[in-house]
């Protein structure tokens, strides 16, 4: 079995070295014209799919999850920009093997001996954790050791991340990529249609009394009952239903791993349910005044949309002020 796997790996490396990247460019839909980085990244994922059989949308989903989990650090003025297309960052000890004495090891044979993840994906004889082909090949090989079905990959991802939230988010990303067949999914939309009357100001951090002392984690957008509430991004509906604070509410996670919270609704768009894929400008529900009590409670405050944004960093989601983003999206939509 080991000999057979070695033969397969050698053949894939040879194929990777001789197969031109452009050969898969016409095989599947591409990113919208105008973003060469997304186009090149998509072609790389498509190339790996043609070589290894793992759907490109799944590779893109894992890459996007890694991208969203990176800590945003301000780069120094003299720091060179990264030339990599992917965001995969396999820790050094996992790449070379936990007991490998050579912390800079790039030899595929010795890395394999110490049971490291690192593989030579482009056939140059080096397993470089900063090389996109090498890293993608290593991720694919890791997934394949668990099997080739989506259920097998779920087990593999849980084994790697040790976290249910990570597995769920990657699966959601893959579903969205598979539906739209490109990577350009960062468009945004203001949550209220421009033809409706509304008003809002920054309410982040204001005191809230009902349900105990707490601060306001969001922005209130006041509008009339029944005003449509729109999706602000591409994403997947995670929750829909009653919350004693937010009343009838919807939670959607976008492709940047940000959770969008739409609360105090009067009703939902008919047929909308958890797991549905939504896009910017799509109607999700309608403005109301529900909340602050048991299911069905309404009218304790003027009708408005409470809109919140929460980011995942590996633990519980943390809230951040959506007001600057709302102002930006409002200006964009008016144009």
């Amino acid at each position: 079995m080991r000999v057979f796997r070695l033969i397969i790996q050698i053949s894939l490396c040879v194929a990777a070295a001789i197969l031109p990247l452009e050969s898969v460019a016409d095989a599947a839909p591409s990113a919208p014209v105008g973003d060469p980085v997304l186009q090149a990244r998509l072609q790389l994922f498509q190339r790996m799919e043609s070589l290894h059989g793992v759907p490109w949308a799944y590779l893109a989903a894992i890459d996007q999850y890694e991208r969203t989990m990176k800590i945003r650090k301000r780069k120094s003025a003299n720091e060179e920009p990264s030339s990599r297309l992917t965001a995969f960052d396999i820790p050094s000890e996992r790449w070379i093997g936990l007991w490998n004495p050579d912390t800079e090891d790039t030899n595929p044979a010795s890395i394999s001996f110490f049971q490291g993840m690192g593989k030579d994906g482009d056939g140059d004889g080096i397993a470089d954790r900063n090389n996109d082909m090498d890293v993608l090949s290593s991720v694919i090989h890791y997934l394949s050791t668990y099997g080739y079905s989506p259920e097998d990959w779920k087990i593999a991802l849980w084994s790697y991340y040790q976290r249910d939230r990570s597995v769920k988010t990657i699966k959601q990303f893959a579903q969205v990529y598979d539906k739209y067949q490109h990577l350009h999914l960062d468009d945004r939309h203001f949550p209220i249609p421009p033809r409706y009357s509304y008003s809002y100001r920054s309410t982040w951090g204001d005191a809230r009394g009902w349900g105990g002392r707490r601060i306001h984690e969001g922005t209130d957008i006041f509008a009339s009952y029944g005003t449509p509430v729109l999706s602000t991004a591409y994403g997947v509906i995670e929750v829909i239903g009653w919350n004693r604070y937010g009343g009838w509410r919807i939670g959607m996670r976008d492709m940047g791993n940000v959770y969008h919270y739409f609360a105090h609704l009067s009703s939902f768009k008919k047929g909308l349910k958890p797991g549905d894929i939504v896009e910017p400008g799509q109607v999700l529900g309608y403005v109301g005044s529900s909340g602050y009590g048991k299911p069905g409670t309404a009218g304790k405050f003027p009708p408005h949309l409470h809109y919140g944004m929460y980011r995942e960093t590996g633990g519980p989601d943390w809230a951040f002020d959506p007001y600057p983003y709302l102002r930006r999206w409002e200006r964009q939509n008016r144009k």
Side-chain angles (χ1 to χ4, degrees):
M1 181 61 71
R2 290 184 177 179
V3 174
F4 176 73
R5 286 183 178 177
L6 180 60
I7 294 173
I8 294 297
Q9 291 173 15
I10 293 173
S11 64
L12 290 175
C13 287
V14 173
I18 64 176
L19 182 65
L21 188 61
E22 292 77 8
S23 65
V24 296
D26 299 326
S30 59
V33 176
D35 196 327
V37 174
L38 291 183
Q39 180 72 17
R41 189 179 300 150
L42 174 62
Q43 291 179 5
L44 176 60
F45 293 146
Q46 292 172 344
R47 178 183 184 185
M48 300 308 289
E49 177 181 355
S50 68
L51 290 173
H52 302 278
V54 176
W56 74 262
Y58 215 84
L59 299 176
I62 302 174
D63 175 69
Q64 181 64 9
Y65 180 76
E66 288 281 329
R67 194 177 308 280
T68 65
M69 296 301 290
K70 288 183 178 296
I71 299 175
R72 298 175 182 269
K73 295 181 179 180
R74 180 174 295 181
K75 295 182 178 180
S76 60
N78 58 355
E79 184 177 351
E80 291 292 331
S82 174
S83 60
R84 289 188 57 189
L85 289 172
T86 69
F88 290 104
D89 187 17
I90 300 175
S92 177
E93 63 274 12
R94 289 191 119 165
W95 183 265
I96 64 174
L98 183 61
W99 303 108
N100 193 334
D102 183 0
T103 59
E104 302 296 328
D105 195 1
T106 59
N107 187 315
S110 59
I111 290 176
S112 178
F113 177 81
F114 287 104
Q115 299 182 330
M117 283 183 61
K119 302 295 177 186
D120 171 23
D122 56 7
D124 64 355
I126 297 174
D128 182 0
R129 58 189 291 264
N130 295 309
N131 178 289
D132 286 320
M133 286 291 291
D134 291 356
V135 174
L136 279 172
S137 297
S138 302
V139 171
I140 291 171
H141 181 269
Y142 178 83
L143 294 174
S144 68
T145 59
Y146 287 81
Y148 288 90
S149 73
E151 288 301 315
D152 293 329
W153 297 333
K154 284 176 60 177
I155 296 172
L157 290 173
W158 191 93
S159 178
Y160 185 85
Y161 291 106
Q162 297 283 301
R163 191 162 178 264
D164 292 337
R165 172 74 263 174
S166 304
V167 178
K168 181 179 180 181
T169 300
I170 291 171
K171 180 182 178 182
Q172 290 175 176
F173 286 175
Q175 291 171 334
V176 178
Y177 284 133
D178 186 60
K179 176 177 180 177
Y180 292 102
Q181 290 292 300
H182 61 75
L183 303 180
H184 185 76
L185 298 172
D186 58 355
D187 292 341
R188 297 292 185 267
H189 201 289
F190 192 75
I192 301 296
R195 65 181 182 276
Y196 286 82
S197 177
Y198 63 86
S199 65
Y200 69 105
R201 63 178 180 82
S202 177
T203 53
W204 175 262
D206 288 356
R208 288 293 183 267
W210 192 89
R213 294 183 62 182
R214 54 198 176 92
I215 65 169
H216 192 244
E217 295 183 346
T219 297
D220 289 337
I221 306 176
F222 290 89
S224 300
Y225 280 105
T227 299
V229 172
L230 311 179
S231 174
T232 45
Y234 289 97
V236 176
I237 300 296
E238 289 194 342
V239 296
I240 182 170
W242 183 264
N243 175 298
R244 74 190 186 100
Y245 295 103
W248 300 117
R249 58 62 163 108
I250 293 173
M252 181 271 291
R253 190 168 301 274
D254 73 11
M255 297 302 288
N257 205 1
V258 172
Y259 182 81
H260 301 244
Y261 180 65
F262 307 84
H264 304 316
L265 305 178
S266 60
S267 61
F268 308 122
K269 178 69 175 179
K270 185 177 181 180
L272 192 70
K273 61 186 183 301
D276 283 355
I277 296 172
V278 296
E279 57 189 53
Q282 179 177 334
V283 175
L284 302 181
Y286 304 90
V287 170
S289 62
S290 61
Y292 287 12
K294 63 183 181 180
T297 302
K300 290 191 173 184
F301 39 76
H304 68 278
L305 167 68
H306 170 93
Y307 177 71
M309 298 175 71
Y310 300 78
R311 184 177 299 282
E312 182 195 357
T313 57
D317 290 358
W318 58 273
F320 58 98
D321 188 1
Y323 182 76
Y325 299 90
L326 289 168
R327 292 299 301 268
R328 183 191 310 162
W329 303 338
E330 183 182 38
R331 290 193 298 267
Q332 292 173 349
N333 291 163
R334 284 178 176 174
K335 290 180 181 179

